[in-house]
C-alpha cells in the first residue's frame, strides 16, 4: 500500500510502551543492546503469516503484512464487528497489487496485541478480502516502531528495540564464522515506512519491496522485459491470475531467469513469477516464500537488512492457472549458490512420523510452538516435517481443535484425504461451530461423492458463519457443484452484499449468473450479473469464455436466440472445446431451424463430454 495523508500514530506510541523483555544475544560489541518489545506468534495459513489479536475482546486473525503501510481491515469485517467508519484524511491514497482501493477509517475501542490492550486504535477500512480467515492486515505502523525480526520458519515475528548498534552485525542468531547476508535498505519516514532495497535480475538492478502479505514473490512484467526476459520465449508458462488489495486481478507467468541476486546470495538458472502489474513503488515483491526460506532482521537505524538462508526452495512457483477443460479442480526447487530447477512437482503422500529437525536454533518447547513450526513447514510444502510437528502439537494438546485443523489441512494439501477427514472430524467433535473445518470437510465429502454429508456440513456452516463471512464464497461453490442452486445463490447474495469492492466480485457475479441461468431464476438479474462480470474482467482473461457461455445460456432461456448464438460463438473463439457452449449453440440453431448445424454442434459437444445433453435436460433445457 502507498499512503498519501496522515493518520494518528496511537498504535506505535502504545506499542513502544510495552515492557521490554530479556535481552537478546547480540554480536560482540561494547555498548550494543537489543531487547524484545514483543513476540508476535505467527501461524502460517494459506502460506500467509497469521497473528491473533482481539477487537473489543473478540478474537480476530490478521495477516502480518510488511508490505502494508498501515493496518487495515476489510469492510465486511468492520460490519461484522459493528465498527463505525468515517472518512479518511483528505488525499489519502491506498494502492497495491490489483490497483487502488477506496478506504475509510474506523476506531477500535480496545485492540489487544501480544496480550496488551491498546485503547482507541485507528484502522483503515477497505480493499479486497485478504483471505486465510483473517479480518485484515497488520502493517508498518506496527512493524516500524523499531527493528523487526522475521523468523517465520519458527513461527514468530519479534518487535525489537536496539541501542547503540549502528556498526554491529544484528544477525545475532548466527554462530561465529557462519555465513550471513546483508544489504542496504531505504531510510524510512512517516510517509514511507516500507522495507525497500535492491536486487539484480539478469544483471539489471531492480527495486524490491519485502512484503509478507504476498504469499509468493513476483516481479513486474515491465522490469522483466527490461532485464531481457522475452515473455513469448519457450519455457514461459501462464500461471493464472492473482489479486491484492485492489479491485483488479493481475495476470501472472512463470519464466526462466539466468540469475537472481539479492544481498550476498545468488540463484542461477532459476524461475521467477512475473505479474502484469505489481506495485507503483517497486519492481518486485519479495513475498512470504522468501521469508519462510530465510531468517531476516530489519535494522531500521542502520538502514540495513540482515538475513540467513534456512535451506529448501526460495520461491513458490505453484501455478494459479485455471485447469484445462475436462480436468478436475486444482487445489520449485531453488537454492542460493546453486543451479535451480523449475516449478515444484506435486507433493508425495507422506506420513506423520515423529521425525523432523528444527530450522532454527532449538526445538519447540510446547504445542503452540510445534504448531507454528509445523505450519511453516507446510507453507514450504515440506509435508513430512509439517506432519511430524503438527502431530506433536496434537499429542501435547489433544483438546485444542486448531491443531487438528492445521494437520488436516497439511494432510489435504499432501493429497491424503482420509487422514485429513479424520482430523476435521476431530475438530468438529471438539468444536461443532468451527466453520473452516465444516467447510473443509464438506469439500472432501463432495469430492468423495458424499453429497448428503457435504450438504450437512454446508448447512451447519451456514448457520454458524457470520453473514458477511468470506467463507460464503467457498460455500457457494460447493452448493453449486452439488446442484443446490438456490442455496448457492443465497450464499453469493450475502457475499456480494458485503464485498462490493472486492477483487473476487467478477467471479462471484459470473457464478451467480450461471446459477440463475441453470435454475431459470431471475433471468434479467442473471443477465446483469454476466454483464457486470464481463465489464470487470480483462478481455484476455480465460474466464471471459465461460462468462460469455453463461450469458449465452441466459439469453437462450430468455428466447433471445440470435444474441445467444453470438455469445456462444464468441465463447468458442476463446475456448473451442467448451461442451456447454457447443451444446447451447446447437440448441439455438435448432430453434432457428438450422438442423444440420445444430446436430453437428451437439454431436461435437457430446464427444467432448457425453453427459452434456442430460445436464441440459436436467435443468429443463431441451433441444
Amino acid at each position: 500500500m502507498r499512503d498519501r495523508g496522515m493518520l494518528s500514530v496511537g498504535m506505535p506510541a502504545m506499542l513502544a510502551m510495552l515492557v521490554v523483555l530479556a535481552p537478546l544475544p547480540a554480536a560482540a560489541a561494547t555498548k550494543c543492546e537489543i531487547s524484545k518489545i514483543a513476540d508476535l506468534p505467527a501461524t502460517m495459513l494459506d502460506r500467509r503469516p497469521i497473528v491473533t489479536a482481539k477487537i473489543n475482546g473478540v478474537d480476530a486473525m490478521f495477516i502480518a503484512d510488511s508490505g502494508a503501510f498501515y493496518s487495515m481491515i476489510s469492510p465486511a469485517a468492520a460490519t461484522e464487528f459493528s465498527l463505525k467508519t468515517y472518512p479518511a484524511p483528505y488525499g489519502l491514497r491506498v494502492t497495491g497489487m490489483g490497483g487502488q482501493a477506496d478506504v475509510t477509517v474506523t476506531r477500535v475501542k480496545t485492540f489487544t496485541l501480544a496480550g496488551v490492550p491498546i485503547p482507541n486504535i485507528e484502522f483503515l477500512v477497505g480493499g479486497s478480502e485478504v483471505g486465510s480467515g483473517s479480518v485484515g492486515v497488520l502493517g508498518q505502523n506496527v512493524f516500524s516502531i523499531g527493528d523487526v525480526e522475521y523468523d517465520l520458519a519458527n513461527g514468530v515475528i519479534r518487535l525489537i528495540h536496539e541501542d547503540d548498534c549502528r556498526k554491529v552485525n544484528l544477525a545475532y542468531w548466527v554462530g561465529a564464522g557462519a555465513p550471513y547476508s546483508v544489504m542496504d535498505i531505504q531510510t524510512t519516514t512517516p510517509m514511507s515506512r516500507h522495507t525497500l532495497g535492491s536486487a539484480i535480475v539478469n544483471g539489471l538492478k531492480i527495486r524490491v519491496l519485502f512484503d509478507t502479505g504476498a504469499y509468493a514473490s513476483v516481479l513486474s512484467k515491465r522490469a522483466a522485459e527490461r532485464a531481457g526476459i522475452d515473455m513469448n520465449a519457450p519455457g514461459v508458462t501462464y500461471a493464472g491470475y492473482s489479486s491484492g488489495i485492489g479491485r483488479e486481478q493481475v495476470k501472472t507467468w512463470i519464466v526462466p531467469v539466468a540469475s537472481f541476486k539479492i544481498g550476498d546470495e545468488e540463484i542461477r538458472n532459476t524461475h521467477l513469477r512475473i505479474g502484469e502489474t505489481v506495485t507503483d513503488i517497486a519492481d518486485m515483491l519479495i513475498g512470504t516464500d522468501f521469508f519462510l526460506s530465510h531468517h531476516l532482521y530489519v535494522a531500521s537505524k542502520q538502514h540495513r537488512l540482515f538475513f540467513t538462508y534456512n535451506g529448501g526452495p526460495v520461491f513458490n512457483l505453484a501455478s494459479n492457472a485455471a485447469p484445462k477443460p475436462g480436468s478436475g479442480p486444482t487445489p520449485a526447487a531453488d537454492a542460493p549458490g546453486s543451479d535451480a530447477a523449475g516449478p515444484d512437482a506435486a507433493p508425495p503422500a507422506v506420513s506423520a512420523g515423529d521425525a523432523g529437525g528444527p530450522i532454527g536454533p532449538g526445538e519447540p518447547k510446547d504445542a503452540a510452538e510445534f504448531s507454528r513450526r509445523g505450519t511453516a513447514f507446510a507453507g514450504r510444502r515440506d509435508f513430512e516435517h509439517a506432519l511430524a510437528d503438527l502431530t506433536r502439537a496434537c499429542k501435547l494438546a489433544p483438546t485444542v481443535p486448531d491443531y487438528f485443523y492445521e494437520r488436516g489441512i497439511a494432510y489435504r494439501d499432501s493429497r491424503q484425504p482420509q487422514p485429513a477427514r479424520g482430523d476435521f472430524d476431530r475438530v468438529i467433535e471438539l468444536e461443532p461451530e468451527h466453520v473452516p473445518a465444516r467447510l473443509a470437510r464438506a469439500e472432501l465429502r463432495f469430492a468423495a461423492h458424499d453429497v448428503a454429508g457435504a450438504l450437512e456440513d454446508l448447512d451447519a456452516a451456514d448457520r454458524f458463519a457470520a453473514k458477511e463471512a468470506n467463507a460464503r464464497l467457498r460455500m457457494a461453490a460447493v452448493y453449486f457443484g452439488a446442484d443446490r442452486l438456490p442455496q448457492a445463490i443465497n450464499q453469493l447474495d450475502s457475499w456480494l452484499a458485503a464485498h462490493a469492492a472486492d477483487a473476487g466480485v467478477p467471479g462471484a457475479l459470473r457464478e451467480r449468473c450461471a446459477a440463475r441461468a441453470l435454475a431459470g431464476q431471475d433471468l434479467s438479474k442473471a443477465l446483469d450479473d454476466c454483464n457486470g462480470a464481463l465489464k470487470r474482467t480483462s478481455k484476455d482473461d480465460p474466464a471471459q469464455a465461460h462468462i460469455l457461455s453463461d450469458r449465452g445460456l441466459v439469453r437462450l432461456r430468455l428466447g433471445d436466440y440470435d444474441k445467444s448464438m453470438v455469445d456462444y460463438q464468441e465463447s468458442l473463439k476463446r475456448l473451442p472445446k467448451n461442451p456447454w457452449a457447443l451444446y447451447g449453440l446447437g440448441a439455438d440453431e435448432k430453434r432457428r431451424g438450422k438442423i444440420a448445424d445444430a446436430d453437428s454442434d451437439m454431436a461435437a459437444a457430446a464427444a467432448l463430454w457425453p453427459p452434456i445433453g442430460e445436464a441440459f435436460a436436467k435443468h429443463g433445457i431441451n433441444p
Side-chain angles (χ1 to χ4, degrees), residues 536-550:
R536 294 188 59 168
T537 306
S538 170
K539 289 186 178 180
D540 63 354
D541 187 336
Q544 280 238 338
H546 299 288
I547 301 169
L548 286 164
S549 178
D550 294 334

Side-chain angles (χ1 to χ4, degrees), residues 117-190:
I118 308 169
N120 298 318
I121 295 302
E122 287 183 327
F123 285 83
L124 296 178
V125 179
S128 297
E129 287 282 352
V130 290
S132 306
S134 62
V135 302
V137 301
L138 296 181
Q140 282 293 349
N141 59 317
V142 174
F143 300 125
S144 65
I145 65 171
D147 290 356
V148 58
E149 176 188 352
Y150 297 96
D151 186 10
L152 295 188
N154 285 299
V156 65
I157 299 170
R158 296 184 179 93
L159 305 180
I160 295 175
H161 172 77
E162 64 91 350
D163 187 38
D164 202 15
C165 299
R166 292 185 181 274
K167 297 182 179 181
V168 173
N169 164 26
L170 290 176
Y172 66 87
W173 61 90
V174 177
Y180 68 92
S181 191
V182 62
M183 61 183 289
D184 293 333
I185 55 174
Q186 177 178 293
T187 302
T188 59
T189 70

Side-chain angles (χ1 to χ4, degrees), residues 158-464:
R158 296 184 179 93
L159 305 180
I160 295 175
H161 172 77
E162 64 91 350
D163 187 38
D164 202 15
C165 299
R166 292 185 181 274
K167 297 182 179 181
V168 173
N169 164 26
L170 290 176
Y172 66 87
W173 61 90
V174 177
Y180 68 92
S181 191
V182 62
M183 61 183 289
D184 293 333
I185 55 174
Q186 177 178 293
T187 302
T188 59
T189 70
M191 294 294 291
S192 180
R193 297 174 168 137
H194 300 96
T195 304
L196 290 159
S198 297
I200 298 175
V201 176
N202 290 355
L204 175 75
K205 186 176 181 179
I206 62 168
R207 185 177 174 91
V208 298
L209 168 63
F210 289 85
D211 185 2
T212 56
Y215 81 89
S217 301
V218 57
L219 175 69
S220 74
K221 182 182 177 185
R222 183 165 56 182
E225 291 172 339
R226 291 205 321 268
I229 295 171
D230 181 359
M231 300 300 296
N232 297 310
V236 174
T237 305
Y238 169 66
Y241 279 76
S242 294
S243 62
I245 198 69
R247 297 186 179 195
E248 305 301 322
Q249 301 256 341
V250 176
K251 191 175 183 179
T252 65
W253 301 263
I254 305 296
V255 304
V257 174
S259 172
F260 177 83
K261 185 175 182 180
I262 187 165
D264 300 314
E265 293 184 356
E266 181 179 7
I267 309 170
R268 300 182 300 274
N269 300 319
T270 186
H271 289 72
L272 290 179
R273 182 183 303 273
I274 306 297
E276 187 114 47
T277 58
V278 174
T279 174
D280 60 354
I281 62 173
D283 299 307
M284 183 176 185
L285 302 180
I286 301 295
T288 302
D289 49 2
F290 186 90
F291 281 79
L292 282 170
S293 59
H294 292 80
H295 189 158
L296 299 90
Y297 186 105
V298 180
S300 57
K301 292 180 183 177
Q302 291 192 24
H303 315 306
R304 294 199 295 175
L305 185 146
F306 299 85
F307 59 96
T308 56
Y309 173 57
N310 292 328
V314 173
F315 298 122
N316 171 18
L317 300 174
S319 174
N320 293 327
K324 295 180 180 179
S327 66
T330 51
D334 49 354
S338 67
D339 290 336
D344 284 342
V350 293
S351 61
D354 288 328
I359 286 182
E363 281 289 322
K365 294 181 284 294
D366 56 25
E369 290 188 6
F370 274 115
S371 162
R372 293 197 297 274
R373 193 178 71 169
T375 60
F377 276 125
R380 303 175 70 191
R381 303 191 73 74
D382 180 354
F383 293 112
E384 179 180 0
H385 290 115
L387 289 167
D389 274 357
L390 293 170
T391 294
R392 294 181 192 181
C394 292
K395 288 180 178 178
L396 288 168
T399 61
V400 177
D402 285 349
Y403 301 153
F404 289 92
Y405 175 73
E406 292 160 3
R407 191 175 67 174
I409 294 297
Y411 273 127
R412 183 198 68 187
D413 291 349
S414 60
R415 300 184 182 178
Q416 300 185 78
Q418 291 305 317
R421 165 69 185 274
D423 276 343
F424 298 144
D425 289 345
R426 176 62 174 159
V427 175
I428 293 165
E429 177 186 341
L430 292 168
E431 186 181 330
E433 298 182 9
H434 198 290
V435 172
R438 287 280 186 183
L439 183 49
R441 191 171 73 172
E443 290 168 337
L444 284 181
R445 283 175 153 177
F446 180 71
H449 308 291
D450 179 9
V451 174
L455 292 174
E456 175 190 345
D457 278 331
L458 287 177
D459 292 344
D462 181 44
R463 294 193 302 272
F464 301 141

Side-chain angles (χ1 to χ4, degrees), residues 493-539:
D493 286 345
S494 295
W495 189 88
L496 284 161
H499 299 83
D502 197 280
V505 166
L509 288 173
R510 181 246 158 165
E511 189 170 1
R512 191 170 65 177
C513 171
R516 285 171 164 166
L518 286 171
Q521 174 181 327
D522 295 327
L523 293 175
S524 62
K525 293 181 179 179
L527 190 59
D528 290 342
D529 283 343
C530 271
N531 288 336
L534 283 169
K535 286 179 182 177
R536 294 188 59 168
T537 306
S538 170
K539 289 186 178 180

Side-chain angles (χ1 to χ4, degrees), residues 5-64:
M6 293 293 292
L7 293 172
S8 69
V9 292
M11 184 177 287
M14 291 302 298
L15 284 173
M17 296 173 63
L18 292 172
V19 177
V20 175
L21 303 178
L24 296 167
T30 304
K31 297 180 180 180
C32 174
E33 293 182 356
I34 57 176
S35 302
K36 289 187 292 185
I37 298 171
D39 273 349
L40 301 181
T43 299
M44 296 302 299
L45 292 177
D46 299 327
R47 295 170 290 180
R48 291 180 172 91
I50 302 296
V51 172
T52 300
K54 292 182 184 292
I55 295 177
N56 296 332
V58 180
D59 285 344
M61 297 194 305
F62 287 82
I63 291 177

